[in-house]
Amino acid sequence: YQPQVDAAGRVFGTEALVRWHHPGRGMVPPAEFIPAAEHAGLILPLGAWVLETACQQLVTWSRQPDLARLTVSVKVSVRQVRLPDFVDLVLGILARTGANPHRLKLELTESVLIDDVDQLKIDQSFVRDVLTDPHDASIARTIVALADAMGLAVIAEGVETEAQRDFLHQHGCRSYQGYLIGRPMPA
C-alpha cells in the first residue's frame, strides 16, 4: 500500500499495489508479471484477488480509529470493467468482506470511459519529468484544469521530490502519492 497525502501532508488514503515475491527470483516487478498474467489468462482472477484483499484491509483498518478514515484505491483492468458481471463482482466482494464502499476507489485507465469518476490521476510518467519537459508540465496542468472544470479531485502519482510536489501544488494539485510521501509497504 502506498500512502496518498493532501497538500498539508495528511495521509487520506492508499493505493493497493500488487507485488510478487518469487521464492527463487526475489521481487518480480509488476511490469513483468502483469503481462504474463494477462497472457496466461490469470489477470481476471488476479484482479478479483487484489480487490478482495484491499477490501479486507479496509475492514481491518476500519477497526482502528487512526486508520478508519483511509481510502484504498485499486487499479482495475479494462478486461475487468468490461465483464458483464463486473458490478456484481464488486458488490459481492463488498458484501463478503463488509468493507465500506465509500472507502474504496476503483482506478481506471484512460482507455476506460465511464461516468461518475470522482478523481483524475496525473500518471507518474508525466510527473517524472514535470520540471524538465514542457510537454509533461503542460499535460499535468491540463489534467488539473480538466479536473477543476469538471468539479473532480486530482491526485499526482510518482511524486519523488519536493520540487515536483511544489510545482504541482502551484498549479492546483492538492493530493500526492509517490516515494517522497512513502514507499509501498505492507498494511
Side-chain angles (χ1 to χ4, degrees), residues 81 106 108 112-117:
V81 172
L106 300 180
L108 308 170
V112 179
L113 299 175
I114 65 167
D115 294 329
D116 298 328
V117 175

Side-chain angles (χ1 to χ4, degrees), residues 51 54-55 58 71-72 74 90 94 100-106:
L51 187 57
C55 286
L58 275 173
T71 60
V72 174
V74 177
V90 174
L94 287 167
N100 180 344
H102 298 287
R103 298 280 174 224
L104 177 66
K105 293 182 180 183
L106 300 180

Side-chain angles (χ1 to χ4, degrees), residues 44-162:
L44 294 176
L46 176 61
W49 177 82
V50 170
L51 187 57
E52 184 135 0
T53 301
C55 286
Q56 290 168 345
Q57 189 59 57
L58 275 173
V59 171
T60 299
W61 283 339
S62 74
R63 297 181 189 123
Q64 301 173 43
D66 291 347
L67 304 175
R69 63 178 174 70
L70 293 180
T71 60
V72 174
S73 297
V74 177
K75 279 191 176 126
V76 180
S77 76
V78 173
R79 290 188 58 204
Q80 280 179 289
V81 172
R82 291 189 177 153
L83 286 173
D85 64 343
F86 176 70
V87 172
D88 292 334
L89 170 77
V90 174
L91 291 175
I93 289 171
L94 287 167
R96 263 192 319 281
T97 61
N100 180 344
H102 298 287
R103 298 280 174 224
L104 177 66
K105 293 182 180 183
L106 300 180
E107 192 173 304
L108 308 170
T109 62
E110 295 81 4
S111 58
V112 179
L113 299 175
I114 65 167
D115 294 329
D116 298 328
V117 175
D118 292 330
Q119 178 178 345
L120 296 180
K121 179 177 262 191
I122 304 172
D123 188 80
Q124 63 184 333
S125 62
F126 302 120
V127 173
R128 182 179 305 115
D129 296 323
V130 75
L131 302 173
T132 58
D133 184 330
H135 297 291
D136 286 352
S138 179
I139 289 169
R141 287 192 304 269
T142 300
I143 292 170
V144 172
L146 178 62
D148 186 52
M150 296 176 68
L152 301 174
V154 64
I155 184 169
E157 75 173 350
V159 179
E160 296 183 355
T161 68
E162 289 182 15

Side-chain angles (χ1 to χ4, degrees), residues 2-14 69-70 119 154-156 159 165 173-178 180-182:
Q2 187 171 38
Q4 298 172 328
V5 300
D6 62 19
R10 291 181 298 257
V11 176
F12 64 84
T14 66
R69 63 178 174 70
L70 293 180
Q119 178 178 345
V154 64
I155 184 169
V159 179
R165 185 194 57 209
C173 179
R174 302 290 186 258
S175 297
Y176 320 98
Q177 171 184 341
L180 176 66
I181 310 311

